[in-house]
Structures are given as structure tokens and as C-alpha cells.
Coordinates of all heavy atoms in Angstrom, one line a residue:
G7 N 82.6 130.7 83.8 CA 83.2 131.0 82.6 C 84.4 132.0 82.8 O 84.7 132.3 83.9
A8 N 85.0 132.2 81.8 CA 86.3 133.1 81.8 C 86.0 134.5 82.1 O 84.9 135.0 81.5 CB 87.2 132.9 80.6
H9 N 86.8 135.2 82.7 CA 86.6 136.6 83.0 C 87.6 137.4 82.3 O 88.8 137.3 82.4 CB 86.7 136.9 84.6 CG 85.8 136.1 85.4 ND1 84.5 136.6 85.6 CD2 85.9 135.0 86.0 CE1 83.9 135.7 86.3 NE2 84.7 134.7 86.6
L10 N 87.1 138.4 81.4 CA 88.0 139.2 80.7 C 87.6 140.6 80.9 O 86.4 140.9 81.3 CB 87.7 139.0 79.1 CG 87.8 137.6 78.6 CD1 87.4 137.5 77.2 CD2 89.2 137.1 78.8
S11 N 88.5 141.5 80.7 CA 88.3 143.0 80.9 C 89.0 143.7 79.8 O 89.9 143.2 79.2 CB 88.8 143.5 82.3 OG 90.2 143.2 82.5
N12 N 88.6 145.0 79.7 CA 89.2 145.9 78.7 C 89.3 145.2 77.3 O 90.3 145.3 76.6 CB 90.5 146.4 79.1 CG 90.5 147.2 80.4 OD1 89.6 148.0 80.6 ND2 91.5 147.0 81.3
V13 N 88.2 144.6 76.9 CA 88.0 144.0 75.7 C 87.9 145.0 74.5 O 87.1 145.9 74.6 CB 86.9 143.0 75.6 CG1 86.8 142.3 74.3 CG2 87.1 141.8 76.7
A14 N 88.7 144.8 73.5 CA 88.6 145.7 72.3 C 88.7 144.8 71.0 O 89.4 143.9 70.9 CB 89.7 146.7 72.3
V15 N 87.8 145.2 70.0 CA 87.7 144.3 68.9 C 87.8 145.4 67.6 O 87.0 146.3 67.6 CB 86.5 143.5 68.7 CG1 86.4 142.8 67.4 CG2 86.4 142.6 69.9
A16 N 88.6 145.1 66.7 CA 88.6 145.7 65.4 C 88.4 144.7 64.3 O 89.2 143.8 64.2 CB 89.9 146.6 65.2
A17 N 87.3 144.9 63.5 CA 87.0 143.9 62.5 C 86.5 144.6 61.3 O 85.9 145.7 61.3 CB 86.1 142.9 63.0
K18 N 86.7 144.0 60.1 CA 86.1 144.5 58.9 C 85.8 143.3 58.0 O 86.4 142.3 58.1 CB 87.0 145.5 58.2 CG 88.3 145.0 57.7 CD 89.3 145.9 57.1 CE 90.6 145.4 56.8 NZ 91.4 146.5 56.1
G19 N 84.9 143.5 57.1 CA 84.5 142.4 56.2 C 83.9 142.9 54.9 O 83.3 143.9 54.8
A20 N 84.2 142.2 53.8 CA 83.7 142.5 52.5 C 83.9 141.3 51.6 O 85.0 140.7 51.7 CB 84.4 143.8 51.9
D21 N 82.9 141.1 50.7 CA 83.0 140.2 49.6 C 83.6 138.7 50.1 O 84.2 138.1 49.4 CB 83.9 140.7 48.6 CG 83.5 142.0 48.0 OD1 82.2 142.1 47.8 OD2 84.3 142.8 47.8
G22 N 83.0 138.3 51.3 CA 83.4 137.0 51.8 C 84.7 136.8 52.6 O 85.1 135.8 52.9
L23 N 85.3 138.0 52.9 CA 86.5 138.0 53.7 C 86.3 138.8 54.9 O 86.0 140.0 54.8 CB 87.7 138.5 52.9 CG 89.0 138.6 53.6 CD1 89.5 137.2 54.0 CD2 90.1 139.3 52.8
V24 N 86.5 138.2 56.2 CA 86.4 138.9 57.3 C 87.8 138.9 58.0 O 88.4 137.9 58.1 CB 85.3 138.3 58.3 CG1 85.3 139.0 59.7 CG2 84.0 138.3 57.7
T25 N 88.2 140.1 58.4 CA 89.5 140.2 59.1 C 89.2 140.9 60.5 O 88.6 141.9 60.6 CB 90.4 141.2 58.3 OG1 90.6 140.7 56.9 CG2 91.8 141.4 58.9
V26 N 89.9 140.2 61.5 CA 89.8 140.7 62.8 C 91.3 141.0 63.2 O 92.1 140.2 63.2 CB 89.2 139.6 63.8 CG1 89.3 140.1 65.2 CG2 87.8 139.2 63.3
D27 N 91.5 142.2 63.5 CA 92.9 142.7 63.9 C 92.8 144.0 64.7 O 92.7 145.0 64.1 CB 93.7 142.9 62.5 CG 95.2 143.1 62.8 OD1 95.6 142.9 64.0 OD2 95.9 143.3 61.9
P28 N 93.0 143.9 65.9 CA 93.0 142.7 66.8 C 91.8 142.5 67.7 O 90.9 143.4 67.6 CB 94.2 143.0 67.7 CG 94.1 144.5 68.0 CD 93.5 145.1 66.6
V29 N 91.7 141.5 68.3 CA 90.9 141.3 69.5 C 91.8 141.3 70.6 O 92.7 140.6 70.7 CB 90.1 140.0 69.5 CG1 89.4 139.8 70.8 CG2 89.2 139.8 68.3
F30 N 91.6 142.2 71.5 CA 92.5 142.4 72.7 C 91.7 142.3 74.0 O 90.6 142.8 74.1 CB 93.3 143.8 72.7 CG 94.1 143.9 73.8 CD1 95.4 143.5 73.8 CD2 93.7 144.7 74.9 CE1 96.3 143.8 75.0 CE2 94.5 144.9 76.0 CZ 95.8 144.4 76.0
A31 N 92.3 141.6 75.0 CA 91.7 141.5 76.3 C 92.7 141.4 77.4 O 93.7 140.8 77.2 CB 90.6 140.4 76.3
E32 N 92.4 141.9 78.6 CA 93.1 141.6 79.8 C 92.5 140.5 80.6 O 91.2 140.5 80.6 CB 93.3 142.8 80.6 CG 94.1 143.9 79.9 CD 94.1 145.3 80.7 OE1 93.5 145.3 81.8 OE2 94.8 146.2 80.3
A33 N 93.2 139.5 81.0 CA 92.6 138.4 81.8 C 93.7 137.7 82.7 O 94.8 137.6 82.3 CB 92.1 137.4 80.8
Y34 N 93.2 137.5 83.9 CA 94.0 136.7 84.8 C 95.5 137.1 84.9 O 96.4 136.3 84.9 CB 93.9 135.1 84.3 CG 92.5 134.7 84.4 CD1 91.7 134.8 83.2 CD2 91.8 134.3 85.6 CE1 90.5 134.4 83.2 CE2 90.5 133.8 85.6 CZ 89.8 134.0 84.3 OH 88.5 133.6 84.4
G35 N 95.5 138.4 85.0 CA 96.9 139.0 85.3 C 97.8 139.1 84.0 O 99.0 139.5 84.1
G36 N 97.2 138.8 82.9 CA 97.9 139.0 81.6 C 97.1 139.6 80.5 O 96.1 140.1 80.7
T37 N 97.6 139.3 79.3 CA 96.9 139.9 78.1 C 96.8 138.8 77.1 O 97.6 137.8 77.0 CB 97.6 141.0 77.6 OG1 99.0 140.6 77.1 CG2 97.8 142.2 78.5
L38 N 95.7 139.0 76.3 CA 95.5 138.1 75.1 C 95.3 139.0 73.9 O 94.6 140.1 74.0 CB 94.1 137.3 75.3 CG 94.0 136.5 76.5 CD1 92.6 136.1 76.8 CD2 94.9 135.3 76.5
K39 N 95.8 138.6 72.8 CA 95.7 139.3 71.5 C 95.5 138.3 70.4 O 96.2 137.3 70.2 CB 96.9 140.1 71.2 CG 96.8 140.9 69.9 CD 98.1 141.7 69.6 CE 97.9 142.3 68.1 NZ 99.2 142.8 67.8
L40 N 94.4 138.4 69.7 CA 94.1 137.6 68.6 C 93.9 138.4 67.3 O 93.3 139.4 67.3 CB 92.8 136.8 68.9 CG 92.3 135.9 67.8 CD1 91.8 134.6 68.4 CD2 91.2 136.5 66.9
T41 N 94.5 137.8 66.2 CA 94.3 138.4 64.9 C 93.9 137.2 64.0 O 94.3 136.1 64.2 CB 95.6 139.0 64.3 OG1 96.6 138.1 64.2 CG2 95.9 140.3 65.1
G42 N 93.1 137.5 63.0 CA 92.7 136.3 62.2 C 91.8 136.8 61.0 O 91.4 137.9 60.8
T43 N 91.6 135.8 60.1 CA 90.7 136.0 59.0 C 89.8 134.8 58.8 O 90.1 133.6 59.2 CB 91.5 136.2 57.7 OG1 92.3 135.0 57.5 CG2 92.4 137.4 57.7
V44 N 88.6 135.0 58.3 CA 87.8 134.0 57.7 C 87.5 134.4 56.4 O 87.0 135.4 56.0 CB 86.4 133.9 58.5 CG1 85.5 132.9 57.9 CG2 86.6 133.7 60.0
D45 N 87.9 133.4 55.4 CA 87.9 133.7 54.0 C 86.9 132.6 53.3 O 87.2 131.4 53.3 CB 89.2 133.5 53.3 CG 89.3 133.8 51.8 OD1 88.3 134.1 51.3 OD2 90.4 133.9 51.3
A46 N 85.7 133.1 53.1 CA 84.7 132.2 52.4 C 84.6 132.5 50.9 O 83.5 132.2 50.3 CB 83.4 132.5 53.1
R47 N 85.5 133.2 50.3 CA 85.4 133.4 48.9 C 85.5 132.3 48.0 O 85.1 132.2 46.9 CB 86.5 134.5 48.5 CG 86.3 135.7 49.2 CD 87.5 136.8 49.0 NE 88.7 136.3 49.6 CZ 89.9 136.9 49.6 NH1 90.0 138.1 49.0 NH2 90.8 136.3 50.3
G48 N 86.2 131.1 48.5 CA 86.4 130.0 47.6 C 85.4 128.8 47.9 O 85.6 127.7 47.5
G49 N 84.2 129.2 48.6 CA 83.3 128.1 48.8 C 83.4 127.5 50.2 O 82.4 127.6 51.0
V50 N 84.4 126.9 50.5 CA 84.7 126.3 51.9 C 85.5 127.4 52.6 O 86.6 127.7 52.3 CB 85.4 125.0 51.7 CG1 85.7 124.4 53.1 CG2 84.7 123.9 51.0
P51 N 84.9 127.8 53.7 CA 85.5 128.7 54.6 C 87.0 128.4 55.1 O 87.1 127.2 55.5 CB 84.6 129.0 55.7 CG 83.3 128.7 55.2 CD 83.6 127.5 54.3
V52 N 87.9 129.1 55.0 CA 89.2 128.9 55.5 C 89.4 130.0 56.7 O 89.4 131.2 56.5 CB 90.3 129.1 54.5 CG1 91.7 128.9 55.1 CG2 90.1 128.1 53.3
T53 N 89.9 129.5 57.8 CA 90.2 130.3 59.0 C 91.6 130.3 59.3 O 92.3 129.2 59.3 CB 89.3 129.8 60.2 OG1 87.9 129.7 59.9 CG2 89.5 130.7 61.4
R54 N 92.1 131.6 59.6 CA 93.6 131.6 60.0 C 93.5 132.5 61.2 O 92.9 133.6 61.3 CB 94.4 132.2 59.0 CG 94.6 131.4 57.7 CD 95.7 131.9 56.8 NE 96.1 131.0 55.8 CZ 95.5 130.7 54.6 NH1 94.3 131.4 54.4 NH2 95.9 129.9 53.8
T55 N 94.2 132.0 62.3 CA 94.3 132.8 63.5 C 95.7 132.8 64.1 O 96.5 131.9 63.8 CB 93.3 132.2 64.6 OG1 93.7 130.9 64.9 CG2 91.9 132.4 64.2
R56 N 96.0 133.9 64.8 CA 97.2 133.9 65.6 C 96.8 134.5 67.0 O 96.1 135.5 67.1 CB 98.2 134.9 64.9 CG 99.4 135.1 65.7 CD 100.4 136.1 65.2 NE 101.4 136.4 66.1 CZ 102.7 136.3 65.8 NH1 103.1 136.0 64.5 NH2 103.6 136.6 66.7
I57 N 97.3 133.8 68.1 CA 97.0 134.2 69.4 C 98.3 134.5 70.1 O 99.1 133.6 70.1 CB 96.1 133.1 70.1 CG1 94.8 132.9 69.3 CG2 95.9 133.5 71.6 CD1 94.0 131.7 69.9
E58 N 98.4 135.6 70.8 CA 99.5 135.9 71.6 C 99.0 136.0 73.0 O 98.1 136.7 73.3 CB 100.1 137.3 71.1 CG 100.8 137.2 69.8 CD 101.2 138.6 69.4 OE1 101.7 139.3 70.2 OE2 101.2 138.8 68.1
V59 N 99.7 135.3 73.9 CA 99.2 135.3 75.3 C 100.5 135.7 76.1 O 101.6 135.1 75.9 CB 98.8 133.8 75.8 CG1 98.4 133.8 77.2 CG2 97.6 133.4 74.9
A60 N 100.3 136.6 77.1 CA 101.4 137.0 78.0 C 101.0 137.1 79.4 O 99.9 137.7 79.7 CB 101.9 138.4 77.6
H61 N 101.8 136.4 80.3 CA 101.6 136.5 81.7 C 100.3 136.0 82.2 O 99.7 136.6 83.2 CB 101.9 137.9 82.2 CG 103.2 138.4 81.8 ND1 104.4 138.0 82.3 CD2 103.5 139.4 80.8 CE1 105.4 138.7 81.7 NE2 104.9 139.5 80.8
L62 N 99.7 135.1 81.6 CA 98.3 134.5 82.0 C 98.4 133.6 83.1 O 99.2 132.7 83.1 CB 97.7 133.8 80.7 CG 96.3 133.5 80.8 CD1 95.4 134.6 80.8 CD2 95.9 132.5 79.7
N63 N 97.6 133.8 84.1 CA 97.5 132.9 85.3 C 96.6 131.7 84.7 O 95.3 131.7 84.9 CB 96.8 133.6 86.4 CG 96.7 132.7 87.6 OD1 96.6 131.5 87.5 ND2 96.4 133.3 88.8
V64 N 97.2 130.6 84.3 CA 96.5 129.5 83.7 C 95.6 128.7 84.8 O 94.5 128.3 84.6 CB 97.5 128.5 83.0 CG1 96.8 127.3 82.6 CG2 98.2 129.2 81.9
A65 N 96.2 128.7 86.0 CA 95.4 128.0 87.1 C 94.1 128.8 87.3 O 93.0 128.1 87.5 CB 96.3 128.0 88.4
G66 N 94.1 130.1 87.4 CA 92.9 130.9 87.6 C 91.9 130.7 86.4 O 90.7 130.6 86.7
L67 N 92.4 130.7 85.2 CA 91.5 130.5 84.0 C 91.0 129.1 84.1 O 89.8 129.0 83.8 CB 92.4 130.7 82.8 CG 91.7 130.3 81.4 CD1 90.5 131.2 81.2 CD2 92.7 130.4 80.3
A68 N 91.6 128.0 84.3 CA 91.2 126.7 84.3 C 90.1 126.6 85.4 O 89.1 125.9 85.3 CB 92.3 125.7 84.5
R69 N 90.3 127.1 86.6 CA 89.4 127.1 87.7 C 88.1 127.7 87.3 O 86.9 127.2 87.5 CB 89.9 127.7 89.0 CG 89.0 127.7 90.1 CD 89.4 128.5 91.3 NE 89.5 129.9 91.0 CZ 90.7 130.6 90.8 NH1 91.8 129.9 91.1 NH2 90.7 131.8 90.6
D70 N 88.1 128.9 86.6 CA 86.8 129.5 86.3 C 86.1 128.8 85.1 O 84.9 128.8 85.0 CB 87.1 131.0 85.8 CG 87.5 131.9 87.0 OD1 87.3 131.3 88.2 OD2 87.9 133.0 86.8
V71 N 86.8 128.2 84.2 CA 86.3 127.5 83.0 C 85.7 126.1 83.4 O 84.6 125.7 83.1 CB 87.3 127.4 81.9 CG1 86.7 126.4 80.8 CG2 87.5 128.7 81.3
T72 N 86.4 125.3 84.4 CA 86.1 124.0 84.7 C 85.3 124.0 86.0 O 84.7 122.9 86.2 CB 87.3 123.1 84.7 OG1 88.1 123.5 85.8 CG2 88.1 123.1 83.4
G73 N 85.5 124.9 86.8 CA 84.9 124.9 88.2 C 85.7 124.0 89.2 O 85.3 123.7 90.2
E74 N 86.9 123.5 88.7 CA 87.7 122.7 89.6 C 89.1 123.3 89.8 O 89.6 124.1 89.0 CB 88.0 121.4 88.9 CG 86.7 120.5 88.7 CD 86.9 119.2 87.9 OE1 88.1 118.8 87.9 OE2 85.9 118.7 87.5
D75 N 89.7 123.0 90.9 CA 90.9 123.7 91.4 C 92.1 122.7 91.1 O 93.0 122.5 92.0 CB 90.9 124.1 92.8 CG 91.3 125.5 92.9 OD1 91.7 126.1 92.0 OD2 91.2 126.0 94.1
K76 N 92.2 122.1 89.9 CA 93.3 121.0 89.7 C 94.6 121.7 89.5 O 95.6 121.0 89.8 CB 93.0 120.3 88.3 CG 91.8 119.4 88.5 CD 91.6 118.6 87.2 CE 90.4 117.6 87.4 NZ 90.2 116.8 86.2
F77 N 94.8 122.9 89.2 CA 96.1 123.5 88.9 C 96.6 124.4 90.1 O 97.5 125.1 89.9 CB 96.1 124.2 87.6 CG 95.8 123.4 86.5 CD1 94.5 123.3 85.9 CD2 96.8 122.5 85.9 CE1 94.2 122.5 84.9 CE2 96.4 121.6 84.9 CZ 95.2 121.7 84.3
A78 N 95.9 124.4 91.2 CA 96.3 125.2 92.3 C 97.7 124.7 92.9 O 97.8 123.6 93.0 CB 95.2 125.2 93.4
P79 N 98.5 125.7 93.3 CA 99.8 125.3 93.8 C 99.7 124.6 95.2 O 98.8 124.8 95.9 CB 100.5 126.6 94.0 CG 99.6 127.7 93.8 CD 98.3 127.1 93.2

């Protein structure tokens, strides 16, 4: 699986609306930041997300997730 460090999550929820702002993690030489909402107030849940990725070593992530070294230089 993927290896993350320094993970931090801020979330709140009320009356069918959950807001996550942000989920932050360091991984594979870079950073990940996710913000989003799950809105279940209208019956069918609606999800909105935004993901920011900076300086991520995709080859390392792919190797750890798939167990294969397909993206190695």
C-alpha cells in the first residue's frame, strides 16, 4: 500500500453535510492536499473534491500500490 506521513485531517459535519478541509499528507517526496464535501441533504449524496499534488514521485507510489516496478527509470 501507499506510505503517507504527517497526515492531518480537519472535518466537520451537521445536518447531512460533511466538510473536509483539509486532509494533508506528505508522501513520496511531495505533498497531497484534499478538500471536499459530502452533501446528503437532498436524498442522493453529492460529493465534491479537490486534490492538490506537488512533487510526488509517481514511480514510487505506483510500485508500492501495485507491487510492480513498471515506471522505474
Side-chain angles (χ1 to χ4, degrees):
H9 301 278
L10 306 174
S11 61
N12 297 323
V13 177
V15 178
K18 62 183 176 180
D21 302 318
L23 178 64
V24 176
T25 302
V26 178
D27 189 5
V29 173
F30 177 85
E32 294 176 355
Y34 302 93
T37 59
L38 306 165
K39 179 183 175 189
L40 177 138
T41 58
T43 59
V44 177
D45 187 347
R47 297 175 292 185
V50 175
V52 176
T53 303
R54 290 189 169 81
T55 57
R56 177 184 170 129
I57 301 171
E58 297 176 30
V59 179
H61 307 289
L62 187 72
N63 176 344
V64 176
L67 173 62
R69 181 187 60 248
D70 287 351
V71 171
T72 67
E74 299 178 15
D75 230 356
K76 289 185 175 182
F77 299 101

